[in-house]
Amino acid sequence: MKKTGFCKRMPWYTLLLLLGGAWIFPSQAPAQIKEYYLNIMDKRIKVPGRWVKVIEVNDSIPGPTLYFTEGDSAVIHVTNKMKRMESLIHWHGLLIPNSMDGVPSLTTPPIKPGKTFTYRFRIRQHGTFWYHAHSMLQEQSGVYGSFIIEPKKETLRYDKEIVLLLSEFTIEQPAHILNNLKRNTEWYAIKKRQAQSLNRVVANHALGERIQMAWQRMPPMDISDVYYNHFTTNGVQNLYFSNVHPEERIRLRVIAGSSSTFFHIQFAGGKMELIASDGSNVQPVMIDRILMGAAETYDFIITIPSNGMYEFRATAQDGSGYTSVYFGKGDLHAAPSLPKPDLYHMMGIIMQGMEGMKMKGMNMSQKTMTQEFPYIQKAYLDREDVNVGGSLSMNMTEMNMDRLKSTQQPDKNRDDRKDMDMPPDTSDRKNNTKSNQMNMPDNSVAGKKKVHVRKNMKGMNMKDMNMGNMQEMNMGEDTLKSDDKPDSIIFNYDMLRALHSTSFDTAHHKVRELTFNLTGTMWRYTWSINNKTLSEADSIRIDPGEILRITMVNQTMMYHPMHLHGHYFRVLNASGDSSPLKNVVIVPPMRTITIEFAADENSGAWFFHCHILYHMMTGMGRIFQYSNYSRPDTLTAYPLKNLMHDDKSWFFWGNATLSTTMGEFNALYSNRNNAFMLNGDAGNWWKSNFTYETTATYEHFVTPYLRPYIGFVSSNKNEYLDYFKNYHREVPVQDNRGILGLHYLLPFFINADLRIDDRAHFRLQLEGETWLFPRIWLHYLWNTDNEYELGLEGRLSQYVSITGGYHSDYGWLIGTLLRF
Ligand SMILES: [Cu+2]
C-alpha cells in the first residue's frame, strides 16, 4: 500500500520527528500564521491634465492581493497613514468574528490617523473574496484589494490562476459625486451621451411613454448614476498575459471591486466555465456572457485557444466604457462588442412592466405602487439584465406572462446542463446525489462552534423550494443586439447550483420571514428599505439558530446588489435544495428575490446593505443584531449614531445667473428631511426702478414631494408695494414679510408653491424645467402676482451655462449661469 511504501523510504528519525509533531499537534497540520501589513495613505496622482486626490493601500490602487490557505490564522496590521481621515477595512464575504468585520462604529472602532489596528481571525472558508474600506467614500478613492483563500486541497483542475479585480476610476472626488447625485443634475447622463433628446424620442416612437413617465414624475432614463473616466482591471485599463500556452486551463478569479459599476463579462476565446460565485464553488456551467453586480465575485476557467491573442472584456453596464485583459500573443481576437442599451426602447418595456405589475401587484398594494413608482427612474431592462433575476422568485403566477413573451430559446440552458451530465430537471433528485459524492465542500467551516442548522442530505424538504421554471424564465425583450453568436449562453442566477444541498433543517429551526421592499427616490437621491433609511429604522433582532427568509422586492428602477456581512445566504432559485450560497445578490428593477440565511454565527451586529456605495451612504441598509449581542467596550467611544449619520448628511449647492437686465441666485443646504433655501433676484439697475426680491425659507420634507415651509421675503417689487397703495398707506421703499407655504412636486416635474404672507396675501406659483435636447433645457415660471418667465438654458459644462429668455419684471435677457 502507498502508505507503507512512504514509511519504508523514510529515515527512522524523520518518522520520530513526525510522530513527535503529531503529538504536539494532535488534530491537524499546524495552522499557519499569515501576516500582512497594509498602509492606507492619501495621495495626489497625476492624470492627464490634472492632479487627483486618491487613497492608496501600500502605494497602489488596488491594494495588494492577500493570499491565505483555509485554516490559516490571519494577522493583518492596518495602519492609517492619512493626515486627517479615520479609516477601517472590511473583509468582504468572510466569516469572521464580528469585532473584525471592519464597519466603523458598528463592529470595530475606526482607525485614527497615525494609528494601527491589527485584525486577527481564523480563515474558515476558501474562495475569491476582497477587502475594501467601509469608512465614508474611501472605497471609491482606492481603498480596496483582493483576498484569495486557497482550499487545503484543490479539487478543481486547472493550470494557472489569475486574479482580475475590476473597478472604475473617476477624477472627481467621491464626496463631490454624491453631492451631484443629490442635486440631481443630468450632467453625468450628458457626459455618457445618454441624455435624451426630444427629436430622438419622437423618432423612436417613444413620445407616449416619455409623457407617461413624466406624468408619473419619472425623469428620463439613464443607465447608472455616475460618470467614470475609465474602467480598470487590477488598476489598469488594459492588461496583458502573453505568457500563456494553448490548451492551458486558467482559473480567473474575477472580482467586481467597483463602487457602483456592474460589468458584462465576455471572453473571445470560447465559453467560460463558471465554477464559483462569491467564493462558493458551484456546479460548473459553460457561459458566454454574465452581468456581474458591484461586489460580486465569480471564478471562471478559460481554455487558451491554439494561437492568437484573445480578449477578456468587462463592459460597464451602461456601455460607457470597458476594461480588457488579453491572453496570448499574435492576432487579436476581440470580444464581441455590446451595443449601448437602447434607452428609448426600455422606456416602453418599463412602462409595460409597470402596467403588468399594476395589474397583478407583485407583493405591492395599489397604494404602494402609486406612491413608489413616481419616484422611480433609471431603468434599463435589456435581455441579460432581465435574466439576472430570471424567474428566481418572481411571482410567476401573479405576473401576467402573456405580456412578456419569451424571445429566447430557453431550452439551451438545459441542453448545456445535459452535456455536463447534470440533471436538466431540478426535480430529479436522484441524480443530485452524484454531485454530493464529489465531496467538494464549497463552504467548509472549520475551527468554530456553529449552530448547525444545515440539513443533512437525507431529509430534504421540497416544500419550501421555489421551483422557478427555466421555460418561463426568459421573459425579457431582446433589446440588446450584440455580435454574440446565436448559440450564446447568457448567465442568469438559475444556472447557479451548489455542489450539495444547502437547505436548512426547518423542522428543528424557526423560520422567520421578512419582506424588504427596496425603495428610494431618484428625485432626492435617497435609498431605503421599506421606505426607511438605515437611520430611520431599528436594528433587526435575530435569535441564534433561527433562519431568516428575506423576500426582497425591488420597487425602484435601479439594480441593487444586496450584501450581507459575516454570513452566506442561499439565493432561492431553480436549483431548489441546491440553491447557491452567495454574499451579494443582484435584485433587478421590479423583480423579487428571496434569500435565506441561518443565524449561525455566535453573535454580533451585522450590516446588510446595497453595495452601490452611493445607495448605501444615502440609507439603503439594515443591521441584523443577534439577541445575545452586547456592544463591546471598545465601541463605547464610537456610538452607532456615527454610522447612522451617513444618510443624514448635509449637502450644499447653488447657482448664480448674471444677465443683461438682472442677476439671480439660488442656494440650498439640505439633508434627508430638511432644507434651507435662499434665493433672490435684482435688476433694472440702470433704470430708476431698481427692483429686487429675496426669499429665505426653512422647508421640511414630509414626503419627497411635499414640503411645507416657513420663511421671510424682502422686496420692493410692485406686487408687494400695491398693498400699501390699496390701503392708502405711505409707500415704503422696501417691504418685509413672513411667509408660510407648501411646495409640492406635480406631474411633469412642475413645482407648485402655494404661500400666504403675514399681510394675508396668497400666491400660487408654478415653475419647472425640462430637457429638449441633452444640453438644451427649457425653464418656465408663472405666479398669481402676474410674474412670469420663459427661458432656455444651454449647458456648456458641469458648471457653466448660457441662458436667454423673457422675464416679466426684467424683459428680454441673455446671460451666464454658474453652478457651485
Ligand atoms: Cu442600491
Side-chain angles (χ1 to χ4, degrees), residues 389-408:
S391 66
L392 280 183
S393 40
M394 186 132 187
N395 209 330
M396 286 301 175
T397 48
E398 287 187 351
M399 276 297 288
N400 188 336
M401 292 301 298
D402 297 339
R403 292 183 63 85
L404 302 154
K405 275 242 171 80
S406 168
T407 52
Q408 282 181 272

Side-chain angles (χ1 to χ4, degrees), residues 89-293:
I89 283 177
H90 162 64
W91 316 100
H92 180 107
L94 262 67
L95 306 172
I96 47 175
N98 193 237
S99 62
M100 297 289 133
D101 196 43
V103 182
S105 302
L106 177 65
T107 68
T108 319
I111 311 170
K112 301 261 186 213
K115 298 279 186 257
T116 299
F117 179 75
T118 300
Y119 293 85
R120 292 171 202 277
F121 50 90
R122 184 86 189 274
I123 304 283
R124 296 155 53 195
Q125 64 207 112
H126 64 81
T128 303
F129 303 94
W130 62 302
Y131 61 88
H132 59 81
H134 228 298
S135 297
M136 294 163 280
L137 298 162
Q138 292 172 16
E139 180 192 323
Q140 182 80 83
S141 297
V143 185
Y144 58 89
S146 308
F147 196 110
I148 307 301
I149 310 170
E150 301 290 349
K152 282 177 187 158
K153 188 173 182 296
E154 187 55 77
T155 46
L156 297 162
R157 194 182 59 78
Y158 54 90
D159 302 308
K160 236 181 221 162
E161 71 169 61
I162 293 173
V163 179
L164 301 176
L165 176 52
L166 309 174
S167 195
E168 11 51 2
F169 180 79
T170 165
I171 58 172
E172 257 189 299
Q173 285 305 294
H176 194 249
I177 293 173
L178 186 53
N179 208 67
N180 269 335
L181 295 172
K182 277 281 181 184
R183 81 187 284 178
N184 212 359
T185 65
E186 290 294 322
W187 184 251
Y188 292 137
I190 294 171
K191 276 291 269 184
K192 289 193 276 200
R193 298 181 183 280
Q194 273 155 0
Q196 296 188 7
S197 67
L198 207 53
N199 57 331
R200 275 188 256 158
V201 169
V202 173
N204 283 280
H205 308 289
L207 191 61
E209 280 94 353
R210 182 58 223 140
I211 289 170
Q212 218 180 334
M213 285 176 73
W215 174 257
Q216 302 196 43
R217 293 169 284 200
M218 292 165 69
M221 214 162 299
D222 55 24
I223 300 301
S224 61
D225 296 340
V226 184
Y227 169 77
Y228 291 102
N229 296 81
H230 57 255
F231 300 93
T232 57
T233 308
N234 300 350
V236 295
Q237 277 174 274
N238 296 301
L239 195 58
Y240 296 87
F241 292 97
S242 50
N243 193 22
V244 293
H245 309 287
E247 299 308 309
E248 223 173 10
R249 282 167 60 82
I250 299 184
R251 176 186 193 158
L252 304 177
R253 295 178 178 269
V254 185
I255 302 160
S258 41
S259 293
S260 72
T261 304
F262 284 35
F263 291 99
H264 293 293
I265 307 293
Q266 304 156 286
F267 177 54
K271 287 190 172 21
M272 300 179 282
E273 186 181 354
L274 191 158
I275 50 162
S277 161
D278 290 353
S280 294
N281 288 354
V282 293
Q283 294 278 13
V285 52
M286 303 301 285
I287 60 158
D288 289 276
R289 179 146 55 96
I290 177 173
L291 178 68
M292 279 180 75

